Amino acid sequence: MGKKFHLNGYRYSRPNTNRNKEGNIVLISAFSVGPAEVHQWGLNAYGQPYRLDDYIDENSRSENIISRSELVGELHRLISRCQSEGYPDWAAAYQNALLWLNNH
């Protein structure tokens, strides 16, 4: 399994349970080049589930607190999609992220 994979026009990065420079834990990160946009789901620096939508071409960015069930649902959707599209290693990585989340 590499560090990134492509699915439906987005490049996904591996889930990371370590805090980034902003203090966030990014469990799902999806990037598209056309149009340039980034979407992230995880836990913010305060431990709250969040979703970030950054539309780079439009210079528009929003970060919203979401429910824990929304974050869990997004992980489940991505796990299912990885399984159905033939990315079992990535499905396992997101399953591990879900297990981590359930223990924190």
Side-chain angles (χ1 to χ4, degrees), residues 26-45:
V26 181
L27 299 178
I28 301 172
S29 179
F31 172 76
S32 171
V33 278
E37 57 189 50
V38 175
H39 303 282
Q40 292 179 351
W41 293 261
L43 299 176
N44 67 15

Side-chain angles (χ1 to χ4, degrees), residues 40-56:
Q40 292 179 351
W41 293 261
L43 299 176
N44 67 15
Y46 304 102
Q48 301 166 306
Y50 77 96
R51 177 183 174 151
L52 168 79
D53 296 301
D54 190 354
Y55 299 96
I56 299 162

Side-chain angles (χ1 to χ4, degrees), residues 11-26:
R11 183 182 72 199
Y12 285 83
S13 299
R14 239 186 267 188
N16 190 346
T17 56
N18 295 315
R19 295 195 180 278
N20 64 15
K21 64 183 179 182
E22 290 86 25
N24 296 339
I25 295 171
V26 181

Side-chain angles (χ1 to χ4, degrees), residues 1 6 12 23 28 30 41-42 57 71 73 75 78 83 88-89 97 103:
M1 177 173 74
H6 294 272
Y12 285 83
I28 301 172
W41 293 261
D57 289 344
L71 177 55
L75 282 163
L78 190 52
Q83 290 169 338
D89 293 343
N103 288 316

Side-chain angles (χ1 to χ4, degrees), residues 53-69:
D53 296 301
D54 190 354
Y55 299 96
I56 299 162
D57 289 344
E58 299 172 14
N59 202 22
S60 171
R61 178 183 172 111
S62 66
E63 185 172 326
N64 296 298
I65 301 302
I66 60 175
S67 70
R68 193 170 187 89
S69 65

Side-chain angles (χ1 to χ4, degrees), residues 72-100:
V72 167
E74 195 62 38
L75 282 163
H76 279 295
R77 279 187 287 283
L78 190 52
I79 291 164
S80 176
R81 192 64 191 256
C82 287
Q83 290 169 338
S84 69
E85 295 289 333
Y87 294 101
D89 293 343
W90 282 92
Y94 289 112
Q95 184 67 44
N96 287 337
L98 181 60
L99 292 171
W100 179 90

